[in-house]
Amino acid sequence: MSEVKANPPFDSFTFTLVQVGRGRSLFRMRRTEENLYELQVEQGVGNPPAVRFTREMSQEAAQRFKDELDAAGVFGWEEEYADTAIDHGMKWSLSVVFKEGVFSMRSRGGSLTPPHFDDLLEAMYKLDLPRPEAASQSAQQGMPDMSALFGGAGAPQGLDPEAIRQMQDMLSEAQANPQAFKEDMQREFRSLPAEQQNQLLDMLGNFGMASRSWWENFLRGGM
């Protein structure tokens, strides 16, 4: 008696990310007739993209990928997310066909990202989606692009404007010495009362450049 194979995790998974200055990234997995998955990756500003390849993946690897996203709540995202007050020139879309003609989910958005968006990206990086090339030394240190972090954005009510001004001044030092910049931000963050720390984390998370949890780890010294 032949072994019964487990149901495939999905028929297709497609994620597209378009960012100003970085072009378009495409990550697509499609089930083949041999119960394998074809992984297609495209990335780059030009046409054809700078990075483009396909390779085969096992059904087991696709299942682990789905389980990781399921645990992060990715498949419960809303259908659409708007931009934040400051549009950072980012558009993304996600489409998953679990069973053709039976069940699928779609989600898309701009600079406002849903919870665990970073977990989705990290899972795709593990499966060969190239990480964005660092535009500066600060990006190479694991920090998001913060060049427009406070540009035109007022401080949340109750947050000391002087603290925001000091953080704006620190941005000019980030390019020259990213490690010192990180330490300065952490020191400034620790000097704020707990309520203002939470307000600042909420504000940073809403900018869409990184999740609130990323900022919390960064500012509290967890990374």
Side-chain angles (χ1 to χ4, degrees):
M1 183 175 180
S2 61
E3 181 181 354
V4 178
K5 291 188 176 180
N7 292 328
F10 49 78
D11 283 348
S12 67
F13 177 98
T14 305
F15 178 82
T16 304
L17 176 65
V18 179
Q19 294 174 286
V20 172
R22 291 180 178 172
R24 171 178 171 270
S25 298
L26 170 71
F27 180 96
R28 177 182 293 140
M29 295 172 62
R30 290 182 287 198
R31 188 165 66 93
T32 68
E33 294 181 356
E34 294 78 19
N35 280 324
L36 296 172
Y37 280 83
E38 180 186 72
L39 172 61
Q40 178 183 357
V41 173
E42 297 181 3
Q43 188 176 57
V45 178
N47 188 17
V51 177
R52 181 173 182 173
F53 68 86
T54 59
R55 70 175 176 87
E56 285 189 341
M57 293 179 53
S58 68
Q59 181 170 304
E60 291 76 15
Q63 182 66 58
R64 288 193 297 270
F65 175 70
K66 176 182 180 293
D67 291 344
E68 190 172 349
L69 300 186
D70 197 11
V74 171
F75 302 125
W77 286 355
E78 301 292 337
E79 289 188 8
E80 189 155 358
Y81 294 84
D83 285 322
T84 57
I86 297 179
D87 183 0
H88 295 283
M90 181 175 82
K91 301 295 180 186
W92 58 272
S93 64
L94 171 66
S95 174
V96 186
V97 178
F98 294 98
K99 184 66 176 178
E100 189 69 45
V102 178
F103 180 56
S104 63
M105 68 86 64
R106 286 176 172 79
S107 185
R108 66 178 183 176
S111 55
L112 182 63
T113 56
H116 302 291
F117 189 81
D118 292 346
D119 293 336
L120 168 64
L121 294 178
E122 189 62 34
M124 291 188 294
Y125 293 148
K126 293 177 184 177
L127 295 179
D128 288 342
L129 176 67
R131 293 181 183 272
E133 292 184 5
S136 66
Q137 188 178 359
S138 63
Q140 293 174 358
Q141 294 291 327
M143 290 183 279
D145 179 9
M146 292 179 282
S147 59
L149 183 56
F150 296 105
Q157 185 177 3
L159 186 61
D160 183 5
E162 179 62 19
I164 291 294
R165 188 194 65 76
Q166 291 176 5
M167 283 189 155
Q168 286 176 308
D169 292 340
M170 291 177 193
L171 290 175
S172 62
E173 303 174 9
Q175 294 279 356
N177 193 335
Q179 183 59 35
F181 168 71
K182 176 179 178 179
E183 293 171 358
D184 285 345
M185 284 198 71
Q186 290 175 344
R187 183 166 50 253
E188 185 64 32
F189 180 78
R190 288 193 292 268
S191 71
L192 297 173
E195 182 179 355
Q196 292 186 9
Q197 288 183 2
N198 287 327
Q199 289 176 337
L200 180 59
L201 288 171
D202 290 340
M203 182 186 73
L204 293 171
N206 286 334
F207 273 95
M209 290 177 294
S211 67
R212 188 185 190 280
S213 61
W214 189 97
W215 282 111
E216 186 165 16
N217 287 333
F218 177 77
L219 291 172
R220 296 193 191 282
M223 59 182 298

